[in-house]
Amino acid sequence: MVSQTAQAQPYRCSAVYRRHLGLGATMGEYHGWRTAMRFDSAEREQRSVREGVGLADVSWLGKLDVRHAEQEWGGISDGISAASGDSPVGGAGAPTAVPRRAWQLARGHAMVTCGPEEREYMAGAAAVSGNHVTDVTSVYGALLLAGPRGRDVLHKLTDLDVSPSAMPNESAGQGGLAHVHAVVLRADLGDVPAYWLLVGREYGEYVWDAVTHAGGEHNIVSFGMDALDALAPRRDAR
Amino acid sequence: MTRLFFDGRPIETRAGDTVASALYRAGRRIFSRSFKYHRPRGLLCVAGRCPNCLVTVDGQPSVRACVTPIRDGMQVRHQNATPSLEFDWLSAGKWFSRLMPVGFYYKTFTHPRAWKLARQFIRRAAGLGEVSHVATAVPDRYEHMHNRADVAVIGGGPAGMRAAIGAAEGGQRVVLVDDQPELGGHLRYQRLAGVEQARGLQERVEALENVEVLRNASCFGLYEGTLLGIVQRPPVSGAATNAAGDAAGGSHRSAVEERLIHLRAERIVIATGAYEVPRLFTNNDLPGVMLSSGVERLLHVHGVKVAERAVVISDDPDGGPMVEDLRAAGVEVVAVVTSPGVRAATGGSQVTGLTTTVGHFACDLVVVCGDWMPDAGLVGQAGGRLEWDEPRGAFVPAALPPHVTAVGAVAGVPDQVAGAARREPAQAPGATTSPSPQSFVCLCEDVTAKDVKQAIAEGFDHIETFKRYTTVTMGPCQGRMCQLAAIGICARETNRSMVATGMTTARPPTLPVSLGALAGARHHPTKRTPMHERHEALGCTWMDMGEWKRPLHYGKSDSADGPGGREAKARAVEGEYRAVRERVGMIDLSTLGKLQVTGTDAAKLLDKVYTNRLGDLRPGRSRYSVICDDAGIILDDGTISRLADDHFFVTTTTGNLEFVQQWLEWWAAGTRWSVHVTNVTGGFGAVNVAGPRARELLQPLTDCDLGTRAFPYMACRRAEVAGVPCRLLRIGFVGETGWEIHFPAEYGEYLWDLLLQAGQDFGIRPFGVETQRVLRLEKKHVIAGVDTDATSNPVAANLAWVAKLDKEDFIGKAAILEALSRTPRERLVSFRMTDGQVPEDGAAIVEDGQPVGRVTSARFSFANGKAIGLAWVPAALAADGQEIQVNVDGQLAGAHLVAEAFYDPEGTRLRS
């Protein structure tokens, strides 16, 4: 018999939840996670991102680690591409900000990103030919560095070549970021350059602070999910 | 008006000034005192290449004043002089110079006591400034940047600018690095024709969008073939740092004072030019003896009238454009003399005249038109070398790798500029005629020509041993001012050619780089568990475990070393201990390494790597095991839980996670087994809920039957706890009924709070690492890496039971079999102290006055009322009841070995 205490509603927090509370963020539930909805006004945050650079917590992003045979990459990529269109939760109303695709990180190693509710569905699509698919949503914290000055901030933190020619939109890399391993995904928010930084959750707060520190020169702002939704509106009903 | 302060006195400055130009204009002539003899030194090169103008700026020692732009309010202080630069009592050391010949420190103070006596004085007398013992109050002073380019051009002189333009017009992405605030190189400080030419080239560079210019940026090293280390001070940030970028708002000033840039380039063009080197004559180091290029910089870049009366030493009988420049600036040129005719500069704290073969000339400036040496440090670091080209009478680069080219003066190709001063190729001072013994070859280390000759006479005649013995080329100038002269004297004294004498090896850094710049911003990775803030709210005392932060215990004892801190800690630990033994306690185990091993061959891999048998482990069961290397040495330990036929959940020690992951992947590589190892450490939070009332606490929170029969010791289940999907492992590291609960990290706060709340009725307390160490010691549970070391095998560590020798094979099996066939030299044993003392971890086990073993862990046991511990002792002593002696605070204290666990030896509580 499960007690009343156990009837309490579980809630999910990212690694920077407490840091955001400390910053006075207005919190809300986003994809089932307690997340900062806004720090200031969403409009100001959005403008700052468009003109400079902003940082948001997107740890709710669904992440699947896929180990595969080299020749199966095409199958995974196509499978995810098709699945993202057919996903039961990927249609109308879904935020277009979520990069729903497979990213090849190395030979035989890919990452699939998706909405948190469609992880199971996407995992099925990625599991072609007996690939090993592991849900690593909890393993990685995810920060979104968006805005035209985002690249300048990254220059201070990583040796990865993030120049437009080396890392155009919809490309990925991995390497050191502020001395810890990170997966960097470039998935722009419309015309706003955006880098999705996946780091070990245990480093989440440290990396948040490091990116914020590095962005100080460029007046980096923290932005919440309201601004994110405004930057990348939800899909229209089909 | 911008002002700086020198030794507290305000100095007016002008736009474009450096610290040195402002001080010189204000009348300062002595800028530093020399390293060994404390001789006064003044400006010499005015290009950051000599050691003469090192000062302390805003607390940072050994800053080159001549290349440091001014900032309002800058605090500049002299260094290495007491009490002042003008009167330095340590200069009395010159009277004892006979006692301090070259290499004297290799011959003197060889007795440890003598060195101890001399050390303090030497460290006070010699040096290059003092590092502040107080942490800087400016946390944003330094930072690192990373950049990439198709072509990196090092040097913004005419050759460098032309190379950059050529590469950019060919469509290449170019980064042009120059150590000056403006491009132009030597053209900037030459007469009008040079300035105009520089401006023209600079305009072409700035018009190219694919050229990024890094100004005030010094390249100090070439690493890994294509990685350049660059220090920019003060930096101008942004991708576009050329003039166009600045105008477009592409730059932002920040509080950063030094930026270290890691620049990776496909191709590297070395255009570092050439620099002027001094000539050798008595008192050639006096303030007021200045290189002609330094004089030109002061005249043309900073608009400083350098002196009233000057003598020019030049091999051009007319003195060339230098004489015209001095006269144009209102300086009286007293004489032009050739270098062979120079005898000595005269003067005390600064030059007052020059004595030559044709007479003595009173003056307050001696301009030395020196020889020119390619600035080829990067050439050597690229794998190339400088070769002496006899016909050209110059060093030229050779054997450069394909991706590196040298252009301009560094390649021995002087730039032809109308009206420019004539560049004499290097003639190696001292190579043809014997220099004055009292002339200074090495200004950094106060090495004279006499010292150099003596070192060679003592047998140090190879350029590399000669360098190490005399320390020539090892000071801040890294050989720029002294190498050519040293080679020249060495060649002459050994009757070898310049080619045969060779050069010393060029290593980075070629320029002084501050430690702050190398360290960069204060980014020290820290790992936090999902419940970090909850521990903080509970007032825990933190401990560092690698990058992790873990609660040592709850309650503050920050001054744990003091008596108050120790007592607070002891009280906290006892309270936590009693909660676990008598009621229920909870510890955050999120730092445990956690690996997911999946695939149809997962069991095969684990059986290969772990000593215990895992292939027959049923889903829903866990086992303890160790990992050994080929030599049977224990590398790590942990539990392996089988969640499904092809799915294992493996825990490792906190510090060995990365190693175990790599070890498993290493042994899986090339096997074609279907197995994958995924690090899921950060993805799972974990707690251990343990104590006699743990079941009562947990059962209402889950539908999973936690009864002894349904969920026995060493079982594992997947179940929801308070609505959170968890992995429950029935494991008892602390020796009580308990469950390790692993859960998605994002639920950490929720579950921690809920368990504490639900546990109130059962007297729950959170406990920390210190309490856990007491609890596990009472059970004799070993911690790999704490109680074992790089020589420990399972046989000696009493863990032979965990090595299943009837398995077909596993890593280390042969070595463990061999270890079983002989008596081990040492054994890991447990002991109980006879009296009340508690030994330190690492305390010696003593027999017959000799240390024969060591304590690995010891704590006060509340269950025993005495201290207990684990220790390595000689096998001959490893018998139950054996008395041993332990060194406790310098005194021997008695202890007895105990074979069984100190608490619940039957394991009844663990299994209940």
Side-chain angles (χ1 to χ4, degrees):
Chain A
M1 186 66 183
V2 176
S3 74
Q4 282 228 319
T5 313
Q7 303 298 327
Q9 188 61 40
Y11 59 88
R12 288 184 272 190
C13 314
S14 77
V16 293
Y17 170 69
R18 289 282 160 188
R19 181 55 49 99
H20 288 181
L21 281 179
L23 290 170
T26 302
M27 309 301 287
E29 189 162 304
Y30 197 81
H31 287 291
W33 292 58
R34 287 190 180 177
T35 306
M37 301 308 291
R38 71 199 77 84
F39 295 84
D40 184 10
S41 84
E43 195 176 319
R44 271 198 292 270
E45 288 172 14
Q46 186 200 161
R47 196 181 321 122
S48 296
V49 171
R50 284 194 181 283
E51 293 171 2
V53 62
L55 185 66
D57 173 26
V58 288
S59 295
W60 44 261
L61 180 71
K63 301 149 224 134
L64 305 172
D65 182 88
V66 185
R67 307 286 168 154
H68 60 90
E70 175 65 11
Q71 63 272 18
E72 288 165 9
W73 162 245
I76 295 168
S77 184
D78 294 346
I80 294 300
S81 201
S84 64
D86 298 337
S87 166
V89 291
T96 55
V98 177
R100 297 155 74 241
R101 54 165 293 156
W103 311 80
Q104 188 158 27
L105 302 180
R107 284 184 62 183
H109 186 197
M111 177 78 78
V112 171
T113 52
C114 58
E117 302 87 354
E118 53 190 353
R119 288 176 293 167
E120 204 171 318
Y121 183 78
M122 290 293 189
V128 294
S129 307
N131 292 332
H132 292 264
V133 181
T134 306
D135 186 345
V136 289
T137 301
S138 304
V139 174
Y140 288 99
L143 304 179
L144 176 58
L145 181 68
R149 307 300 297 191
R151 187 156 44 90
D152 295 332
V153 177
L154 285 179
H155 276 310
K156 296 190 184 187
L157 297 167
T158 180
D159 193 28
L160 281 171
D161 190 351
V162 292
S163 62
S165 57
M167 188 177 280
N169 191 20
E170 301 199 331
S171 61
Q174 56 179 334
L177 185 128
H179 310 303
V180 303
H181 179 261
V183 174
V184 179
L185 311 174
R186 169 91 187 268
D188 292 351
L189 306 172
D191 58 349
V192 178
Y195 299 89
W196 303 65
L197 315 175
L198 312 187
V199 296
R201 182 203 150 98
E202 63 273 26
Y203 287 118
E205 204 166 317
Y206 157 73
V207 173
W208 175 274
D209 290 345
V211 175
T212 304
H213 180 260
E217 182 184 356
H218 303 291
N219 301 316
I220 193 169
V221 296
S222 306
F223 69 100
M225 296 304 99
D226 287 348
L228 176 65
D229 283 342
L231 287 160
R234 292 173 183 268
R235 290 174 195 278
D236 293 333
R238 285 179 291 183
Chain B
M1 174 69 78
T2 303
R3 289 196 309 179
L4 61 82
F5 294 85
F6 184 79
D7 286 344
R9 284 188 291 114
I11 305 289
E12 302 296 329
T13 66
R14 290 185 191 172
D17 260 345
T18 61
V19 172
S21 66
L23 291 176
Y24 195 95
R25 186 183 295 109
R28 173 149 293 282
R29 293 296 178 266
I30 305 175
F31 280 72
S32 66
R33 287 277 174 166
S34 70
F35 182 78
K36 185 173 167 185
Y37 300 123
H38 286 254
R39 289 171 64 86
R41 295 276 164 79
L43 296 184
L44 177 67
C45 73
V46 200
R49 294 190 169 106
C50 78
N52 281 14
C53 65
L54 298 181
V55 289
T56 298
V57 175
D58 293 335
Q60 183 179 336
S62 298
V63 173
R64 293 167 294 161
C66 66
V67 291
T68 301
I70 47 153
R71 254 193 340 270
D72 195 25
M74 194 177 235
Q75 292 290 339
V76 182
R77 305 199 74 82
H78 77 269
Q79 57 185 44
N80 203 33
T82 307
S84 68
L85 287 172
E86 281 66 33
F87 176 76
D88 178 12
W89 66 267
L90 287 167
S91 63
K94 65 187 174 188
W95 305 113
F96 304 99
S97 61
R98 282 178 179 276
L99 301 174
M100 297 185 286
V102 64
F104 76 97
Y105 39 82
Y106 291 129
K107 306 166 189 169
T108 324
F109 313 125
T110 51
H111 192 281
R113 197 171 295 168
W115 170 242
K116 199 174 175 182
L117 283 171
R119 185 175 55 191
Q120 288 187 343
F121 176 77
I122 291 174
R123 286 192 176 161
R124 185 171 170 77
L128 294 164
E130 272 187 41
V131 176
S132 170
H133 295 283
V134 181
T136 173
V138 190
D140 295 333
R141 202 164 175 170
Y142 307 101
E143 70 174 16
H144 283 202
M145 285 276 284
H146 302 268
N147 206 347
R148 304 257 178 173
D150 296 324
V151 180
V153 180
I154 312 303
M161 285 194 283
R162 286 191 197 103
I165 291 165
E169 288 178 347
Q172 305 275 289
R173 190 167 43 140
V174 180
V175 173
L176 175 57
V177 181
D178 191 54
D179 60 2
Q180 297 296 314
E182 296 296 333
L183 296 177
H186 66 84
L187 300 182
R188 287 182 61 236
Y189 55 88
Q190 290 185 346
R191 309 172 81 202
L192 189 58
V195 174
E196 284 176 354
Q197 187 179 345
R199 192 173 298 137
L201 284 168
Q202 183 171 335
E203 283 170 2
R204 286 180 64 192
V205 168
E206 289 171 349
L208 292 162
E209 286 189 352
N210 52 339
V211 179
E212 180 181 342
V213 181
L214 301 179
R215 296 178 176 84
N216 288 322
S218 304
C219 180
F220 62 82
L222 173 57
Y223 304 81
E224 304 168 17
T226 58
L227 174 64
L228 293 154
I230 295 160
V231 165
Q232 192 178 30
R233 179 178 179 163
V236 178
S237 78
T241 49
N242 61 21
D246 289 348
S251 72
H252 295 249
R253 290 278 172 187
S254 74
V256 173
E257 291 174 19
E258 276 192 83
R259 173 177 288 165
L260 193 147
I261 300 168
H262 307 240
L263 174 60
R264 288 190 187 276
E266 299 295 320
R267 280 182 50 222
I268 295 165
V269 178
I270 301 172
T272 43
Y275 53 85
E276 199 173 17
V277 294
R279 294 183 183 276
L280 300 179
F281 52 88
T282 300
N283 287 334
N284 62 338
D285 65 328
L286 271 180
V289 177
M290 204 181 301
L291 292 171
S292 67
S293 51
V295 172
E296 286 175 327
R297 282 187 175 89
L298 287 176
L299 288 174
H300 300 310
V301 178
H302 301 296
V304 177
K305 184 183 178 186
V306 287
E308 297 297 328
R309 292 162 58 86
V311 176
V312 176
I313 302 173
S314 172
D315 290 336
D316 180 341
D318 299 328
M322 185 73 259
V323 171
E324 295 174 33
D325 287 349
L326 286 167
R327 286 181 175 141
V331 179
E332 180 188 351
V333 178
V334 181
V336 176
V337 297
T338 56
S339 54
V342 177
R343 290 287 173 265
T346 57
S349 58
Q350 67 182 81
V351 73
T352 55
L354 187 71
T355 303
T356 71
T357 51
V358 294
H360 180 81
F361 301 99
C363 62
D364 58 356
L365 175 70
V366 173
V367 182
V368 179
C369 298
D371 297 312
W372 287 79
M373 180 81 175
D375 194 353
L378 293 177
V379 170
Q381 291 169 30
R385 61 178 182 273
L386 281 186
E387 286 186 347
W388 182 253
D389 186 332
E390 202 65 54
R392 288 158 70 182
F395 283 102
V396 293
L400 281 167
H403 69 285
V404 180
T405 51
V407 299
V410 72
V413 184
D415 202 69
Q416 299 301 319
V417 180
R422 206 174 78 202
R423 304 293 190 205
E424 299 292 344
Q427 294 296 325
T432 51
T433 57
S434 181
S436 158
Q438 301 309 321
S439 55
F440 280 84
V441 175
C442 175
L443 298 167
C444 298
E445 307 277 331
D446 267 355
V447 179
T448 62
K450 179 185 171 188
D451 292 329
V452 171
K453 289 180 187 177
Q454 184 179 328
I456 293 165
E458 290 181 27
F460 297 95
D461 58 357
H462 187 281
I463 194 71
E464 291 290 353
T465 54
F466 163 82
K467 160 186 162 179
R468 283 155 181 77
Y469 188 65
T470 61
T471 68
V472 162
T473 76
M474 291 168 68
C477 89
Q478 286 291 285
R480 282 185 174 79
M481 295 293 105
C482 56
Q483 174 146 244
L484 187 62
I487 295 169
I489 298 172
C490 193
R492 185 175 182 280
E493 293 295 312
T494 58
N495 290 320
R496 291 194 299 246
S497 66
M498 295 287 285
V499 177
T501 303
M503 299 184 73
T504 56
T505 306
R507 296 184 180 88
T510 57
L511 296 165
V513 184
S514 70
L515 294 176
L518 291 174
R522 291 180 180 176
H523 294 160
H524 304 301
T526 306
K527 294 179 179 176
R528 297 180 175 208
T529 78
M531 289 81 82
H532 182 94
E533 298 293 342
R534 310 321 276 158
H535 303 317
E536 184 69 39
L538 287 166
C540 78
T541 295
W542 292 105
M543 69 173 291
D544 292 326
M545 193 170 275
E547 293 178 339
W548 285 104
K549 291 282 184 191
R550 292 197 73 182
L552 183 63
H553 60 79
Y554 293 84
K556 291 293 181 192
S557 64
D558 290 330
S559 56
D561 290 337
R566 275 200 293 271
E567 283 168 20
K569 180 178 170 183
R571 276 198 305 276
V573 170
E574 181 171 4
E576 293 170 13
Y577 171 89
R578 300 221 177 273
V580 177
R581 288 283 185 248
E582 296 164 12
R583 305 185 303 276
V584 60
M586 180 164 69
I587 184 171
D588 182 355
L589 295 180
S590 305
T591 64
L592 278 178
K594 304 172 206 80
L595 298 172
Q596 176 173 289
V597 184
T598 55
T600 51
D601 294 315
K604 202 186 288 186
L605 173 66
L606 294 171
D607 252 340
K608 174 82 175 171
V609 172
Y610 281 89
T611 60
N612 209 336
R613 182 181 293 104
L614 299 166
D616 65 353
L617 188 66
R618 284 179 285 118
R621 299 292 296 174
S622 304
R623 262 180 206 152
Y624 170 78
S625 186
V626 299
I627 295 179
C628 291
D629 65 8
D630 287 328
I633 302 301
I634 297 170
L635 300 174
D636 196 55
D637 69 349
T639 58
I640 299 94
S641 301
R642 193 165 200 169
L643 302 177
D645 283 340
D646 61 350
H647 188 173
F648 290 82
F649 183 63
V650 176
T651 62
T652 75
T653 56
T654 297
N656 272 339
L657 166 71
E658 283 80 9
F659 162 74
V660 174
Q661 182 181 4
Q662 287 170 15
W663 189 251
L664 287 166
E665 287 172 343
W666 166 266
W667 286 103
T671 60
R672 295 183 179 274
W673 291 346
S674 174
V675 57
H676 284 279
V677 181
T678 309
N679 178 1
V680 293
T681 300
F684 284 95
V687 293
N688 182 18
V689 180
R693 305 196 71 180
R695 184 177 285 112
E696 287 179 76
L697 161 62
L698 290 174
Q699 188 60 79
L701 303 176
T702 178
D703 282 332
C704 178
D705 186 349
L706 302 181
T708 309
R709 190 179 294 270
F711 204 145
Y713 182 58
M714 297 307 280
C716 64
R717 302 281 184 270
R718 288 201 241 211
E720 279 196 357
V721 176
V724 175
C726 297
R727 295 171 181 184
L728 300 170
L729 315 182
R730 178 84 194 276
I731 290 168
F733 190 55
V734 298
E736 298 289 346
T737 303
W739 282 264
E740 271 185 20
I741 307 174
H742 297 258
F743 46 85
E746 60 268 26
Y747 291 108
E749 280 201 13
Y750 160 75
L751 206 52
W752 177 267
D753 287 348
L754 184 132
L755 288 167
L756 280 185
Q757 185 192 339
Q760 293 302 313
D761 293 342
F762 306 99
I764 194 171
R765 275 188 74 161
F767 65 100
V769 174
E770 184 59 26
T771 305
Q772 185 197 41
R773 285 176 175 172
V774 176
L775 294 162
R776 69 95 189 179
L777 262 184
E778 290 186 339
K779 288 296 292 178
K780 285 183 60 179
H781 287 155
V782 170
I783 299 179
V786 173
D787 300 309
T788 65
D789 61 24
T791 64
S792 310
N793 64 51
V795 178
N798 284 329
L799 290 170
W801 62 272
V802 88
K804 300 306 178 191
L805 299 168
D806 55 342
K807 270 204 305 187
E808 186 183 352
D809 194 18
F810 61 86
I811 310 304
K813 180 180 177 182
I816 294 171
L817 279 170
E818 201 275 332
L820 280 167
S821 69
R822 55 182 164 79
T823 304
R825 194 172 59 84
E826 289 183 307
R827 279 194 183 279
L828 185 64
V829 296
S830 49
F831 67 87
R832 180 189 291 125
M833 298 300 292
T834 307
D835 297 318
Q837 300 97 328
V838 183
E840 296 275 332
D841 294 353
I845 308 295
V846 179
E847 186 183 34
D848 297 332
Q850 296 296 316
V852 294
R854 64 204 175 280
V855 173
T856 59
S857 310
R859 295 289 186 280
F860 182 81
S861 164
F862 300 101
N864 287 252
K866 291 193 168 95
I868 58 171
L870 294 170
W872 286 94
V873 299
L877 293 180
D880 192 15
Q882 171 74 40
E883 186 173 347
I884 59 171
Q885 299 288 312
V886 185
N887 186 331
V888 182
D889 297 330
Q891 304 291 320
L892 291 184
H896 288 85
L897 303 194
V898 179
E900 62 183 16
F902 297 102
Y903 177 81
D904 186 26
E906 304 299 327
T908 310
R909 297 174 70 96
L910 196 64
R911 291 177 169 79
S912 63

